[in-house]
């Protein structure tokens, strides 16, 4: 039984650890402004260090049915442009941040 649990640990947890070791989120700051019309503006800053070359990161935001996300702006190292694409689900939005044709390594700040 112990051998089975150890093998299960290796199969399930080690791939997750290896994926997570490609980069580290050094700092994550969130500022939320709640407006009088029951909307909110969310500003996030993520400082990420990439240990190996990657295209970027994914940011998945869950929300309740009937609510939604109406506007998204993304800056990478202060540069606005074609740095992201949106993937919408029923109760979530995934922001794919980065460049499909360019790799990055080292320190990057996303806003």
């Amino acid at each position: 039984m112990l051998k089975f649990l150890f093998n299960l640990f290796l199969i399930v947890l080690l791939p997750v650890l290896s994926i997570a070791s490609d980069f580290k989120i050094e700092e994550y700051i969130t500022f939320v402004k709640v407006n009088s019309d029951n909307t909110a503006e969310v500003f996030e800053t993520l400082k990420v260090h990439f240990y190996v070359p990657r295209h970027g990161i994914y940011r998945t935001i869950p929300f309740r049915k009937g609510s939604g996300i109406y506007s998204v702006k993304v800056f990478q190292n202060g540069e606005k442009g074609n740095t992201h694409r949106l993937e919408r689900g029923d109760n979530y939005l995934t922001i794919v941040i980065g460049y499909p044709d360019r790799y990055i390594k080292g320190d990057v700040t996303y806003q």
Side-chain angles (χ1 to χ4, degrees), residues 54-106:
R54 291 183 50 113
H55 292 287
I57 62 171
Y58 292 78
R59 174 68 176 97
T60 299
I61 304 168
F63 56 85
R64 288 189 200 147
K65 203 159 191 96
S67 64
I69 298 169
Y70 301 102
S71 176
V72 174
K73 295 177 186 172
V74 176
F75 296 85
Q76 182 172 314
N77 287 334
E79 175 186 336
K80 184 179 181 200
N82 242 352
T83 60
H84 70 284
R85 76 175 191 277
L86 306 177
E87 297 177 357
R88 295 185 184 272
D90 289 337
N91 295 321
Y92 67 90
L93 173 73
T94 297
I95 308 168
V96 181
I97 306 169
Y99 297 96
D101 58 345
R102 187 176 1 164
Y103 286 95
I104 52 176
K105 188 176 177 185

Side-chain angles (χ1 to χ4, degrees), residues 22-29 45-51 106-110:
D22 289 351
F23 66 92
K24 178 181 178 184
I25 297 175
E26 302 277 343
E27 189 173 357
Y28 191 151
I29 301 170
T45 300
L46 287 88
K47 293 185 179 181
V48 180
H49 181 80
F50 291 95
Y51 296 106
D107 294 323
V108 178
T109 299
Y110 297 105

Side-chain angles (χ1 to χ4, degrees), residues 3-22:
K3 185 176 181 179
F4 171 76
L5 290 174
F6 179 75
N7 287 334
L8 183 63
F9 168 81
L10 290 177
I11 292 169
V12 174
L13 192 57
L14 283 183
V16 172
L17 292 175
S18 67
I19 291 170
S21 66
D22 289 351

